[in-house]
Amino acid sequence: MANDKNLNKDQLKAVRHDKGPLLIVAGAGTGKTTVITERIRYLIEEKKVSPEHILALTFTEKAAEEMLNRIDEVMPLGYEQPWLSTFHAFCDRILRNEALEIGLDPSYKILSSPEQWLIVRKHLFEFDLKYYRPLGNPTKFISAMLQLFSRAKDEVVTADDFLKYTQKQQSGKDTPGVARRDSPGVEEMKEAEADEESKEKLLELANAYKKYQDLLISENSMDFGDLILWVIHLFKKRPSVLRKYKQQFEHILVDEFQDTNYAQYELLKLLAPEKNNPNLVVVGDDDQSIYRFRSASVSNILGFKKDYPKAQTVVLTENYRSTQIILDCAYHLIQNNNPDRLETKLKIDKKLISVRKKLKETEETEPEVIVSDRLENEAEKIALKIQELIQGGNYSYKDIAILSRANNHLDPFVTVFKRMEMPYSLVGNRGLYDQEEIRQLISFLRLLVSQTDNVSLYNLLLAPVFGFKPEEITEILRITRLQKILLWDGIKRYAASENHRNIEVAARKLVTIVSKTLSLVHKRSIGQILYDFIVETGFVENLLKEETVESHLKIKNINLFFNQIKKFEADAENPTVFEFIDYLEMLLEAGENPAQAEIEDIDTVKLLTVHSSKGLEFPVVFIVSLVSDRFPTRERSESLPLPDDLVKEILPEGNAHLEEERRLFYVGVTRARDRLFLSWAKNYGGVREKKPSGFIGELELKPVGEKNEQKTGQLSLLGFNIILKPEILIPQKKIDNLPLKYVSYSQVETFNTCSLKYYYRYVLGLTGTPSSALTFGQTLHRTLRDFHQSDLFQKEKTLDDLMKLYEHHFIGEGYESIEHKKQRFEEGKEILRQYFPKSKELLGNPIYLERKFTIRINDVFLIGSIDRIDQRDDKTFEIIDYKTGEGKTKQREIENDAQLTIYAIAAKETIGINPDLLSLYFLERNVKVSTRRTEEQLKEKKEEIIKTVEEIQKSDFPGKSGHWCEWCEFKRICPVYKTGGTGF
């Protein structure tokens, strides 16, 4: 065998394994791909196995392609290729050939994740949904339901299986967890009601799963989970078909076995049953199982020897990548996952031994810990450390990688690298639609659809191609706000002026291009419209002024965006700009955001998540943001978990989430060849200081490895604290022109959530498109205000009067569809029908309706409006605030409600009323929940508001990302917003 001399004894043993099942435990950097490649070559050349009798399965397309390329390199020209693909591609190939056996059309279409979302969105009102289609936000649960259906398929739970299970739960006579009594108490009754509601919700989901599957069949479509599920069904229903493929595949090899899910393993067991002593070779490492969020089941590799008791085991421990110091640290770390590891279960030795050739210029160096006082300085220090390494002459930029737990943790490093003009590239990073150049192109298309879209127009004003100066944009915004006109109308007024200042010239250029395009929008394709825009504005020429990596990436991103447009134009029945924007909005709502461009084989620092780094290696690795709640992250449960009874995976003895996070950190550590740096900061923008990740301590580093905080300060002189905002308008420089005179509760709440959102909404005065939740809330508030006006004069009004007011006030904007608006309208009527009699029981006599107030807070006035103040029968006063939507009614949350506290302060200071009760009336549930406030609580809240107002007055309005970003109307122009914030 020609390549025997290149294999160590354990690799050779695995390659030359004779027959029967084999488990290859391949640690990081031990050459597992080489072993699989050489085994396939060995079977074909030495054992004379026909390639068509070899099946090799991988986890990703990239892995399959890499393996195929390696086989091509070692095999002679003209050889027949084995079956080598991902699990999904393999199943697709089977179904294309055999689908008719089970009554399926083999010309089916495979849906991507966004396409799954879109098909549900299209037929949403055909689903029999109550809990999971709230009319205030009907698409809220689509993604969660699809994740549930996918999870069910990964556990080989069909829609019929799920439905049978839920129906069985429904038919149960006894309520679990509730003791049977002759006269049950209130708590027992509540628990029984909650349990009954849970069963109804589960049945609703089961019916939705069935409806979803029926939709797929009717449209001759499948999702990725279907591919495996249908093949399992095929093999079980048609034994002759299964027998054919069992006979064909004499040898089966599986790469990254630790990443397979239950369904994939079941498929393997059908093709290679244990009783046949099959030639099934699985390769993997339980310590590198990091895809639980994709339903990967580490129990597959942990239980393989139990399922195949005759299987032999080969352990690869000779590491060709890292220094021994790095490997020892990684081993100390991963020991903390015992006893849930193969090393313990099989009593094998998995300690990796470095056998790589020593590099003269590289000494074995202890990993270093870099500690900073805050996030900005962490990025700064690492940038300076990289420069130091480059200047040392042993490394180039491409030898260095920065790894993070989540995508958005990389943003500060991008900012610093741009400022220092250091070459970098984001690897495997989604977010094409978030890139500045793409946001501006989308903004142009949105403006063509609606000239009232102030957010998109503002984003266009920032585009360098039009030449607006920051102070000119400030002037435009100020004038349009004072004159209360649309931003577009303000731009047109400047364009119509005969002055020749820069602001008028820039406005004329923008208005001319938009007006010309509007006249052609129905005559030209989307691609042609956008191409003309790029040419006429000099969009690309502007990018090419400097030959930089960043400018080339921007151009590649534009090409990727044009590819998206071409695909839409090829698939859509009516490919207009209007249809494309609607389609794009739905894609974004579905969470779709394609990968941005990458430039390979250039000298850049690589920025990527640890998940994306799997299978890669770098001479120097920095792992950043190593603090609690970031790495490891907090455990996030599934929105709609699959019932435990339907889950077949065997969970580990220890904390499954923490063990997976530790494996992920282990993967990051073992990417490093020569040098490893671990970095954390004491402050990431919160109130409390962060603590270092416990994983750092588990590496058992020597104390000398830690680098204490140093005052570098070089980049802080560049104003690092403001560079996350748009290039235009450093807010603290402009606040004097836009003095803060009035502030509302909404402003205070917005600022505390995200100060950059406050800046967009209240400083710049930008307005987003109204949502149906907002307009529905306005409808009910106005209806009840006018209806209860009669109560102030002791005039009786009927339910018919209430309905007439509702119909008069109904606002039909922001709804998903005509059907959505119709159903929401009817729901509103039902809410008011329930409210009409109930309100007489729950409410007193109103003495004020929508009472406006103004409170002086130092030199600023706090303004607002109280929905109603009632005088109760006992002559005490009650403040009521109406709430629409799915508001939470837990007492603890009501007691902490800031808005009610502000209303209590306002009532006391402006009209001399000291309310006894503060209540939230949840209209959709017809429930009132009340609380009280002490004098001390009112005083504390007022001091909080004073502090917040002071912070607003001196703020530089930095952006802050979080779960609220998904619902923010400014996310498409926000520089710190990233979709897909899971970090994968």
Side-chain angles (χ1 to χ4, degrees):
M1 186 172 176
N3 283 5
D4 281 5
K5 62 181 180 181
N6 298 324
L7 302 174
N8 63 48
K9 61 174 183 170
D10 292 322
Q11 290 176 328
L12 190 59
K13 182 179 178 181
V15 168
R16 288 180 162 268
H17 171 70
D18 187 19
K19 61 175 61 176
L22 172 67
L23 170 63
I24 303 175
V25 183
T30 58
K32 68 175 180 61
T33 305
T34 298
V35 168
I36 297 174
T37 303
E38 287 299 323
R39 177 160 178 78
I40 292 174
R41 189 171 77 88
Y42 169 75
L43 291 174
I44 295 173
E45 288 195 335
E46 301 291 324
K47 303 297 287 184
K48 306 304 179 185
V49 177
S50 172
E52 69 174 5
H53 293 311
I54 299 173
L55 171 64
L57 297 169
T58 66
F59 189 58
T60 64
E61 293 284 358
K62 184 178 179 181
E65 184 178 353
E66 180 186 352
M67 194 178 297
L68 200 56
N69 288 337
R70 289 210 195 182
I71 292 172
D72 287 342
E73 289 174 3
V74 299
M75 293 296 293
L77 294 174
Y79 83 103
E80 181 184 356
Q81 290 185 342
W83 282 48
L84 199 162
S85 67
T86 64
F87 275 89
H88 293 109
F90 167 70
C91 290
D92 181 46
R93 187 171 176 180
I94 296 292
L95 285 177
R96 298 293 181 188
N97 293 332
E98 313 289 352
L100 292 174
E101 290 279 350
I102 48 175
L104 295 177
D105 183 344
S107 64
Y108 58 82
K109 177 185 177 183
I110 302 174
L111 300 180
S112 64
S113 295
E115 287 171 329
Q116 293 171 243
W117 193 95
L118 290 173
I119 196 173
V120 175
R121 162 71 174 75
K122 177 181 177 182
H123 298 276
L124 185 59
F125 286 90
E126 298 172 22
F127 283 70
D128 185 14
L129 295 170
K130 174 185 174 185
Y131 298 103
Y132 297 109
R133 192 186 56 211
L135 293 179
N137 182 13
T139 62
K140 177 179 180 178
F141 289 103
I142 292 180
S143 294
M145 287 193 298
L146 288 170
Q147 288 171 2
L148 173 65
F149 304 159
S150 176
R151 182 80 178 90
K153 292 173 184 180
D154 290 340
E155 293 288 334
V156 196
V157 176
T158 66
D160 289 336
D161 295 334
F162 201 165
L163 195 55
K164 288 176 184 176
Y165 169 79
T166 53
Q167 289 171 341
K168 184 178 179 181
Q169 296 294 107
Q170 287 283 103
S171 63
K173 294 182 179 179
D174 292 334
T175 303
V178 179
R180 299 192 64 171
R181 299 182 179 183
D182 293 334
S183 300
V186 174
E187 290 302 317
E188 286 79 8
M189 291 178 66
K190 284 185 177 180
E191 189 173 343
E193 288 174 6
D195 187 73
E196 191 61 34
E197 182 179 290
S198 295
K199 291 179 180 179
E200 290 176 3
K201 286 182 175 180
L202 197 61
L203 182 60
E204 184 173 312
L205 290 171
N207 284 320
Y209 184 12
K210 184 72 167 66
K211 173 65 177 177
Y212 172 67
Q213 290 303 111
D214 291 343
L215 269 177
L216 293 184
I217 292 174
S218 68
E219 301 209 5
N220 196 27
S221 300
M222 290 190 190
D223 59 30
F224 284 102
D226 282 324
L227 293 172
I228 295 175
L229 202 60
W230 277 116
V231 170
I232 290 175
H233 177 72
L234 168 70
F235 285 168
K236 288 182 176 180
K237 288 292 183 181
R238 297 290 182 267
S240 60
V241 176
L242 174 59
R243 184 168 58 250
K244 179 175 72 173
Y245 288 104
K246 282 165 60 178
Q247 291 173 350
Q248 177 178 344
F249 300 124
E250 299 172 4
H251 292 269
I252 301 176
L253 300 92
V254 184
D255 188 21
E256 303 287 12
F257 183 63
Q258 78 278 352
D259 293 328
T260 56
N261 59 38
Y262 180 83
Q264 290 164 337
Y265 194 20
E266 283 298 292
L267 179 63
L268 286 174
K269 289 177 182 177
L270 287 171
L271 286 168
E274 182 272 330
K275 64 180 181 180
N276 292 356
N277 195 35
N279 295 316
L280 173 62
V281 176
V282 298
V283 187
D285 180 13
D286 57 304
D287 292 334
Q288 297 186 77
S289 178
I290 59 172
Y291 292 109
R292 182 176 173 79
F293 69 97
R294 292 177 181 164
S295 298
S297 174
V298 71
S299 63
N300 287 352
I301 193 168
L302 294 176
F304 184 77
K305 290 279 283 188
K306 180 180 178 181
D307 297 326
Y308 293 89
K310 296 179 182 179
Q312 296 183 30
T313 303
V314 173
V315 185
L316 306 181
T317 57
E318 293 189 13
N319 177 282
Y320 296 89
R321 176 187 300 157
S322 307
T323 65
Q324 192 61 51
I325 290 178
I326 291 174
L327 296 179
D328 288 346
C329 288
Y331 189 67
H332 293 317
L333 168 86
I334 206 63
Q335 290 291 299
N336 291 279
N337 272 4
N338 287 334
D340 295 318
R341 296 176 60 242
L342 280 175
E343 188 170 41
T344 301
K345 292 182 177 295
L346 299 184
K347 295 181 172 46
I348 56 178
D349 184 2
K350 290 188 61 186
K351 191 174 190 302
L352 299 177
I353 307 300
S354 178
V355 294
R356 71 172 204 172
K357 294 179 181 179
K358 301 292 183 181
L359 300 177
K360 292 180 181 179
E361 69 272 15
T362 305
E363 297 179 0
E364 293 225 359
T365 307
E366 186 83 14
E368 293 183 21
V369 179
I370 300 174
V371 184
S372 305
D373 60 342
R374 58 195 178 110
L375 167 64
E376 299 86 64
N377 286 339
E378 178 183 15
E380 182 179 318
K381 284 184 180 182
I382 289 175
L384 294 174
K385 185 64 180 179
I386 290 172
Q387 286 188 336
E388 178 186 321
L389 291 169
I390 301 299
Q391 291 166 2
N394 293 331
Y395 301 105
S396 59
Y397 288 113
K398 66 182 178 182
D399 294 327
I400 300 170
I402 296 177
L403 310 184
S404 69
R405 175 62 180 82
N407 270 320
N408 61 344
H409 297 172
L410 296 169
D411 292 343
F413 299 91
V414 170
T415 305
V416 168
F417 286 1
K418 285 181 178 179
R419 288 295 174 118
M420 295 183 69
E421 297 184 348
M422 290 173 59
Y424 73 92
S425 57
L426 290 160
V427 180
N429 200 322
R430 300 182 71 78
L432 175 66
Y433 300 143
D434 296 323
Q435 302 313 300
E436 179 186 22
E437 62 279 6
I438 304 305
R439 286 205 308 251
Q440 289 170 351
L441 294 180
I442 293 174
S443 293
F444 174 68
L445 295 177
R446 282 192 172 114
L447 186 63
L448 296 179
V449 171
S450 172
Q451 289 77 61
T452 64
D453 188 343
N454 287 344
V455 174
S456 293
L457 180 51
Y458 169 73
N459 199 35
L460 268 187
L461 297 182
L462 300 179
V465 292
F466 291 110
F468 287 99
K469 298 176 181 178
E471 61 271 20
E472 293 170 345
I473 298 177
T474 304
E475 179 183 332
I476 294 170
L477 292 168
R478 181 176 61 83
I479 293 298
T480 54
R481 187 165 54 253
L482 288 175
Q483 296 183 358
K484 296 182 179 180
I485 59 176
L486 288 172
L487 184 55
W488 176 244
D489 291 335
I491 297 290
K492 287 197 295 183
R493 290 187 184 183
Y494 278 98
S497 169
E498 295 183 1
N499 292 330
H500 297 285
R501 296 183 304 162
N502 183 76
I503 188 171
E504 283 88 11
V505 173
R508 278 194 285 274
K509 180 178 180 180
L510 174 58
V511 171
T512 299
I513 289 175
V514 173
S515 299
K516 176 184 175 182
T517 309
L518 283 172
S519 67
L520 301 170
V521 76
H522 292 288
K523 302 175 183 178
R524 295 191 177 179
S525 68
I526 308 162
Q528 185 63 51
I529 288 170
L530 210 55
Y531 177 78
D532 290 345
F533 171 76
I534 287 173
V535 171
E536 291 179 25
T537 59
F539 202 90
V540 172
E541 289 177 24
N542 190 66
L543 295 176
L544 289 176
K545 285 180 181 178
E546 295 183 17
E547 290 287 328
T548 64
V549 171
E550 186 176 356
S551 65
H552 281 288
L553 282 171
K554 287 178 180 291
I555 292 171
K556 290 190 75 171
N557 281 333
I558 292 172
N559 285 330
L560 288 176
F561 186 54
F562 268 93
N563 289 338
Q564 298 288 326
I565 292 173
K566 287 177 183 177
K567 185 178 184 302
F568 172 79
E569 289 178 329
D571 296 341
E573 293 181 8
N574 185 27
T576 65
V577 170
F578 305 93
E579 292 296 322
F580 178 69
I581 289 298
D582 284 345
Y583 173 74
L584 189 62
E585 296 289 1
M586 287 191 289
L587 281 183
L588 291 170
E589 191 177 354
E592 170 67 355
N593 207 341
Q596 54 191 286
E598 295 179 23
I599 299 180
E600 299 180 356
D601 300 323
I602 57 174
D603 194 21
T604 59
V605 178
K606 304 299 186 293
L607 278 64
L608 64 166
T609 63
V610 183
H611 278 95
S612 298
S613 74
K614 180 77 182 297
L616 304 177
E617 60 180 65
F618 305 92
V620 181
V621 167
F622 291 83
I623 308 180
V624 301
S625 297
L626 289 175
V627 292
S628 55
D629 293 341
R630 282 194 164 211
F631 205 164
T633 62
R634 291 183 182 181
E635 183 173 8
R636 296 179 181 177
S637 58
E638 295 172 299
S639 301
L640 298 175
L642 191 67
D644 290 343
D645 293 342
L646 298 177
V647 177
K648 283 96 169 180
E649 178 188 3
I650 301 172
L651 296 176
E653 296 177 26
N655 184 316
H657 171 71
L658 187 60
E659 288 185 6
E660 170 124 344
E661 289 290 299
R662 187 176 287 114
R663 292 193 294 268
L664 185 60
F665 188 60
Y666 175 86
V667 167
V669 169
T670 55
R671 298 310 95 191
R673 293 180 57 200
D674 306 337
R675 303 288 301 276
L676 175 65
F677 297 88
L678 309 163
S679 176
W680 68 281
K682 297 176 182 177
N683 189 291
Y684 286 85
V687 177
R688 297 180 181 177
E689 282 196 351
K690 291 288 187 180
K691 295 181 179 180
S693 169
F695 293 158
I696 297 177
E698 292 178 358
L699 293 171
E700 299 185 15
L701 300 173
K702 296 176 183 178
V704 72
E706 181 165 327
K707 297 290 183 182
N708 290 325
E709 179 187 344
Q710 301 170 358
K711 298 293 183 181
T712 55
Q714 294 185 20
L715 289 182
S716 59
L717 296 176
L718 299 174
F720 181 85
N721 60 318
I722 60 175
I723 59 180
L724 287 181
K725 295 182 297 301
E727 292 293 328
I728 170 182
L729 301 180
I730 304 306
Q732 72 268 29
K733 302 294 184 183
K734 296 299 172 185
I735 203 70
D736 293 335
N737 298 330
L738 299 167
L740 185 64
K741 292 183 179 179
Y742 300 97
V743 66
S744 66
Y745 163 73
S746 296
Q747 287 176 257
V748 170
E749 183 184 41
T750 301
F751 181 83
N752 287 330
T753 301
C754 175
S755 59
L756 185 53
K757 180 177 181 178
Y758 174 95
Y759 175 67
Y760 284 137
R761 181 181 287 172
Y762 298 110
V763 178
L764 296 185
L766 297 179
T767 55
T769 305
S771 66
S772 64
L774 175 64
T775 57
F776 186 71
Q778 291 173 341
T779 295
L780 291 184
H781 274 77
R782 293 172 186 175
T783 299
L784 294 178
R785 176 199 63 196
D786 289 0
F787 179 73
H788 286 295
Q789 284 289 339
S790 61
D791 294 339
L792 298 175
F793 307 102
Q794 286 80 43
K795 291 182 179 179
E796 286 291 334
K797 280 197 172 182
T798 66
L799 179 60
D800 286 342
D801 295 326
L802 180 59
M803 291 302 171
K804 287 177 182 177
L805 284 171
Y806 172 68
E807 291 174 6
H808 172 71
H809 284 299
F810 186 79
I811 306 168
E813 296 179 34
Y815 289 93
E816 299 284 337
S817 62
I818 295 175
E819 183 63 28
H820 178 207
K821 182 168 70 173
K822 178 181 177 183
Q823 289 197 25
R824 192 60 159 158
F825 177 77
E826 292 299 324
E827 184 183 54
K829 292 172 71 174
E830 183 58 30
I831 288 170
L832 294 176
R833 286 192 194 97
Q834 299 292 329
Y835 172 85
F836 182 73
K838 192 74 173 180
S839 63
K840 294 179 180 178
E841 301 174 18
L842 298 178
L843 302 176
N845 297 313
I847 56 174
Y848 294 108
L849 295 171
E850 292 202 2
R851 170 73 187 205
K852 293 183 173 13
F853 63 81
T854 302
I855 310 171
R856 190 177 187 90
I857 304 288
N858 291 345
D859 58 343
V860 175
F861 294 99
L862 177 66
I863 60 174
S865 175
I866 303 172
D867 284 348
R868 62 185 285 164
I869 302 177
D870 285 7
Q871 187 169 37
R872 296 154 54 84
D873 292 340
D874 58 1
K875 304 303 180 183
T876 60
F877 296 98
E878 177 182 15
I879 288 177
I880 295 109
D881 187 41
Y882 292 121
K883 292 292 182 185
T884 53
E886 302 176 44
K888 298 177 181 178
T889 57
K890 291 182 179 178
Q891 191 65 40
R892 176 169 49 84
E893 294 165 342
I894 308 304
E895 290 170 358
N896 294 326
D897 187 85
Q899 190 169 15
L900 286 177
T901 311
I902 291 173
Y903 287 171
I905 295 170
K908 183 178 180 181
E909 295 193 7
T910 59
I911 51 180
I913 287 178
N914 194 4
D916 182 64
L917 282 181
L918 306 171
S919 302
L920 294 180
Y921 197 124
F922 296 93
L923 294 170
E924 296 195 37
R925 301 185 186 185
N926 214 1
V927 171
K928 187 184 77 168
V929 185
S930 302
T931 184
R932 290 179 169 83
R933 295 289 185 270
T934 65
E935 288 295 323
E936 185 62 29
Q937 288 174 314
L938 299 184
K939 181 181 177 181
E940 287 178 1
K941 178 54 65 177
K942 191 166 183 179
E943 289 174 354
E944 282 181 26
I945 295 170
I946 291 172
K947 184 179 178 182
T948 301
V949 168
E950 290 174 350
E951 289 176 356
I952 293 173
Q953 290 176 313
K954 65 183 181 182
S955 178
D956 62 354
F957 304 101
K960 183 171 67 174
S961 61
H963 61 85
W964 51 83
C965 294
E966 286 303 318
W967 313 110
C968 179
E969 65 266 42
F970 305 113
K971 65 183 180 183
R972 63 180 188 246
I973 63 170
C974 177
V976 298
Y977 170 72
K978 295 286 184 185
T979 57
T982 58
F984 309 131

